[in-house]
Structure formats: structure tokens, C-alpha cells
Amino acid sequence: MGKWWRYLSAAGKSQASRSVVASRLRAINFSQTLAMGRRGAELRRSGRDIISLGLGELDLEIPRAIREAAAAAALRGEGRSSLVQGIEALRTGICRKLARDNGLAYDLSEIIVASGTKQVIFNAMMATLDAGDEVLIPAPYWVSYPDIVRLAGGEPIAILCGPEVGHKLTAEHLEAAITPRTRWLFLNSPNNPTGSVYTRDELASLASVLRRHQHVMTLSDDIYELFVYTPAPFVSLASIAPDLKDRILVVNGFSKSFAMIGWRIGYGAGCAPLIEAMVRVQSQITSGTSTIVQAGAVAAIDASLNSVASFQSDYLKRRDRTAKLIDAIPGLIYVRPEGAFYFYPTCDAYIGRRTPEGRSIDSDNDLAEFLLETANVVTIPGSAFGLGPALRLSYTCPENRIEEAFCRIGDALSQLR
Ligand code: PLP
């Protein structure tokens, strides 16, 4: 007892001036999309009529079959711990889904279920990155990618993909960015935040670069798979490059396709040694995902085919209506999104202008703040996604609210001089 006490008090003294927070966290931000969502919710609670174009959260109902399956599992008294990698029924279902929808053959040892797609990506980075390993991330990118890489000790390398390339990575840019330290390439199609969708040919040309660089793995984030508005159906990199299967980790989840974002469940499919390492990471963090939620996800695998068609046409309509509303506002220039549920207009025309009170708009952060204050509309500044000045505008709220939001945005922007 005495010895421990001496040890603890000595450590306490020498570290008295140390910050509570680890140095590892210095470069890590609170997710800016979540932060803006939180601000919007606070203002709404204070009585303001806030419209959020900020969140990537659907306004659809979770299909009834999914809710019933989870409720039945809870009522059966399920709730004992599950395998870390996920219950067998769900992993079998995921294999069935990947074969049915994507033409991909995986077995049970090649699947991991986690508490959200975000955790699948985190597991993968923790399992594979050594200090200084590089991860190529086409920008604009989903906000969390770079910080997940940093948390795992890696170095995110953004490859800028502006409007001139349709916000898509080209084979030339990929080739030029690969170094001996490159460990991963992240690909996300349909893309958050731009809605860009890679064609078969574009993926094939990226695959031919990847074939030449055997040390590079690819994380294919297919979470928006069901939100594609092109005549050609969604295709995953893994489906068109079966020879690269062992170097591709497919990640996907239930947050977008089934509006189950609060249920926290996602999955990964990759070669068995990678999955085994990711399971090891997860065994020391959250263990297996909630068994009740997994029971719901089993039902989602088979609910998919019936529920999808109606919301796809609804979202296509909203995409087209939103395009018209943005077109009516001068200075917001975008590449027409072909998937997901976001527009990503650049807003250079408004940077450098002044508000009626004389405040200068120096960045897209300032512009998003101005829109929140003046128009009561939540938007996300593009700099959070690595390519600005721009705004990410999601069209997940009901159509009448979308109309109202753009009316207010147009009015507010017209006040900037
Ligand atoms: N990947 C992308 C591209 C996303 O946009 C999101 C969520 O917005 C995720 C992954 C994380 O999804 P989940 O809710 O399954 O963690």
C-alpha cells in the first residue's frame, strides 16, 4: 500500500502541469458535421425555426420488419454477449447480400460487424497503420477519414479532386500520389460530400494503377450504395477487380440504406488476416455489437429489395428539385450529384463580401455561420471536407422545408455586399 501511494503521489507531482488531454488528440477535431448539428439543435430548443441542411441523416422510417425483428429478439430475452466479429446469422446474411447485390464471394471468416461503419474504418486503421504510414484520401472527403487515420498514427494525404475532374480521383493523380509509404487508398462512391459516382471505366482505370503497386490496400466505402441516380447501377471496386480482392476492404452499413443511423451498425468484408486483426482491435474496444441491433440488421438484409425502390425515386425527385432551387441562387456552382443526398456548391463569389452589419465573410466557415444566424439554416462549410470554399447541403428534410431553406438562403446571400 505504502509503495503504491509513493508511486502515485510522485507521478502526480511530476505531471502536475500536464494537460488532461493526450498530445495524440492535438490534431483531432470534434466532427464538424456533428458540431453543426448540435448547434442547430440547441438553437431549435431555444425556440428558433431552424432548418437543417447539415446532417446526413434520412427522414425515412426504419422498415417495420427491422424494428419487429429487433423487438422480438429483445422480448426473447436475447442479450448475452455475441462473438466479437458478429453473430453468425448476420455475417451469413452479409455474405448473401454481397453475393446477391455485388457479385462478391466472401466467407464468414472474411466479415466483421461493428458498431457503425465508422468503427469498421477505425478498426482497419488501428489494425494496419504504423507511425507515418500514408493514407491517400481524395478530397473532398467524409470529415472523419483524416482524423481516424491520425488517431491510428498514420498520415492522411489529401488528393485534391476539384470540380474540373467531377470531384473524382483520376488514374494519373493516383499514380502521382503513391509513395513507398502509402498503405491505403480510400475510395467513397457515391461520395459524401459531393454525390459523385465512379463509373465502371473510371474504377477499372484506378484498378490498373493499383495492380502496379502491390503494397497499397484500398478501403472501398460503399455506404451510399443504394443512393445512385445514374442509369448504370452502383458498382464497387471489388466487383470489377476480383484479382485485387485480398487488397480491398469493402465497408458498408445500415445507417443510410435503412435509416438506422442511431442503431450503430456497420460491416467490413476483406481478406481473413485483415479481418482477424480488426476483430482483435475491436475485442479491446467495444466487443461485439449489440445483439438486439444485430437481430434487426439480419431482417434488413432481406428487407432491402422491397424497401429500396420507393425511396430511391423520392430522393431522385428531391435531387432534381434541389438542383433547380440552387440554380436560382447566383454564385453557387456545383457538379451535378449522381448519388448520395448532398450538393456541394462552391461559394467563392461570396467570400470577401460584407454583411449588412459590416462583418467580413472571409471563409466558408463565416458563410455557414452567417446563414445560420441570418437565415436559420444549418449548412456545413466545405473546408471541413478538405476542399473549399464550398457548402455541403443535404436534401434529407421534407420537400417543403427544402424549398423554404433555399428561399431563406437566397434572401440572406442577396444581402452580402
Ligand atoms: N462513411 C461515409 C462516407 C459516411 O458519410 C458516413 C456517415 O455519415 C459513414 C461512413 C459512417 O456511417 P456509420 O453511421 O455507419 O458509422
Side-chain angles (χ1 to χ4, degrees):
M1 160 72 190
K3 217 163 145 200
W4 272 108
W5 171 245
R6 268 200 308 283
Y7 170 77
L8 287 172
S9 54
K13 258 187 220 149
S14 65
Q15 309 220 343
S17 58
R18 216 190 118 176
S19 152
V20 151
V21 176
S23 48
R24 185 185 337 109
L25 267 236
R26 270 189 214 131
I28 308 296
N29 302 302
F30 187 85
S31 161
Q32 201 159 345
T33 45
L34 296 181
M36 281 302 269
R38 206 160 64 175
R39 285 257 343 261
E42 273 163 20
L43 292 175
R44 196 173 288 128
R45 271 196 300 278
S46 76
R48 277 172 51 181
D49 175 25
I50 300 289
I51 305 178
S52 181
L53 304 183
L55 284 184
E57 187 163 342
L58 299 151
D59 63 338
L60 302 173
E61 268 199 349
I62 298 170
R64 195 174 176 86
I66 298 174
R67 289 179 277 146
E68 281 176 352
L75 291 172
R76 275 198 307 274
E78 283 184 21
R80 303 211 177 273
S81 62
S82 87
L83 286 175
V84 173
Q85 59 268 46
I87 59 173
E88 195 169 316
L90 180 54
R91 284 180 299 128
T92 306
I94 291 166
C95 290
R96 198 165 65 243
K97 180 264 173 231
L98 289 167
R100 178 191 69 199
D101 301 347
N102 311 103
L104 295 170
Y106 287 98
D107 67 40
L108 284 184
S109 66
E110 296 173 311
I111 306 293
I112 181 172
V113 173
S115 300
T117 312
K118 197 180 249 183
Q119 189 183 18
V120 180
I121 301 170
F122 183 76
N123 287 340
M125 295 304 106
M126 288 299 284
T128 56
L129 293 182
D130 286 319
D133 281 348
E134 293 173 358
V135 176
L136 302 179
I137 308 181
Y141 43 67
W142 177 46
V143 269
S144 294
Y145 289 152
D147 278 349
I148 292 175
V149 168
R150 285 190 197 100
L151 270 173
E155 195 180 332
I157 307 287
I159 310 177
L160 297 186
C161 301
E164 68 290 350
V165 285
H167 294 306
K168 291 191 246 186
L169 179 65
T170 62
E172 296 69 36
H173 284 142
L174 174 59
E175 182 72 61
I178 292 174
T179 75
R181 301 228 61 162
T182 307
R183 193 87 170 101
W184 286 94
L185 162 69
F186 280 15
L187 266 191
N188 171 218
S189 169
N191 178 267
N192 175 4
T194 64
S196 62
V197 176
Y198 285 76
T199 64
R200 232 165 217 285
D201 287 352
E202 287 162 346
L203 290 174
S205 65
L206 294 177
S208 56
V209 175
L210 293 166
R211 278 189 193 100
R212 288 197 288 278
H213 300 278
Q214 302 215 348
H215 63 295
V216 181
M217 309 263 301
T218 302
L219 184 145
S220 177
D221 184 340
D222 297 352
I223 195 165
Y224 292 95
E225 156 176 33
L226 297 185
F227 297 85
V228 173
Y229 315 119
T230 51
F234 166 81
V235 63
S236 177
L237 176 72
S239 311
I240 60 142
D243 56 314
L244 297 180
K245 184 181 162 209
D246 282 354
R247 290 201 279 127
I248 297 174
L249 175 68
V250 172
V251 304
N252 206 329
F254 298 84
S255 296
K256 311 294 172 187
S257 306
F258 304 100
M260 290 164 67
I261 192 165
W263 292 42
R264 308 308 307 131
I265 182 158
Y267 59 89
C271 65
L274 170 63
I275 296 296
E276 184 279 323
M278 290 166 62
V279 171
R280 228 182 314 155
V281 171
Q282 186 167 305
S283 77
Q284 299 298 0
I285 306 176
T286 50
S287 302
T289 301
S290 150
T291 47
I292 307 300
V293 167
Q294 291 192 66
V298 172
I301 296 283
D302 295 316
S304 61
L305 297 178
N306 306 328
S307 61
V308 171
S310 68
F311 73 66
Q312 274 175 336
S313 64
D314 183 34
Y315 271 77
L316 174 60
K317 248 176 53 210
R318 286 193 211 186
R319 193 268 317 250
D320 292 344
R321 181 66 195 133
T322 307
K324 289 209 172 78
L325 294 167
I326 302 181
D327 291 345
I329 301 175
L332 295 182
I333 314 294
Y334 61 88
V335 176
R336 193 174 175 76
E338 295 184 317
F341 29 75
Y342 310 105
F343 276 77
Y344 197 72
T346 52
C347 54
D348 310 62
Y350 294 100
I351 307 301
R353 295 205 189 178
R354 287 189 176 276
T355 66
E357 299 76 38
R359 220 166 359 102
S360 172
I361 301 290
D362 293 329
S363 64
D364 51 18
N365 276 307
D366 290 348
L367 192 63
E369 191 57 41
F370 168 73
L371 290 175
L372 183 55
E373 283 308 319
T374 312
N376 284 330
V377 177
V378 178
T379 60
I380 311 286
S383 38
F385 305 93
L387 192 96
L391 295 172
R392 191 192 74 174
L393 309 170
S394 59
Y395 47 94
T396 52
C397 57
E399 230 172 298
N400 61 336
R401 296 297 275 169
I402 297 176
E403 305 261 349
E404 167 74 20
F406 281 99
C407 185
R408 293 188 199 172
I409 290 176
D411 278 354
L413 292 179
S414 70
Q415 295 171 31
L416 294 175
R417 294 282 169 257

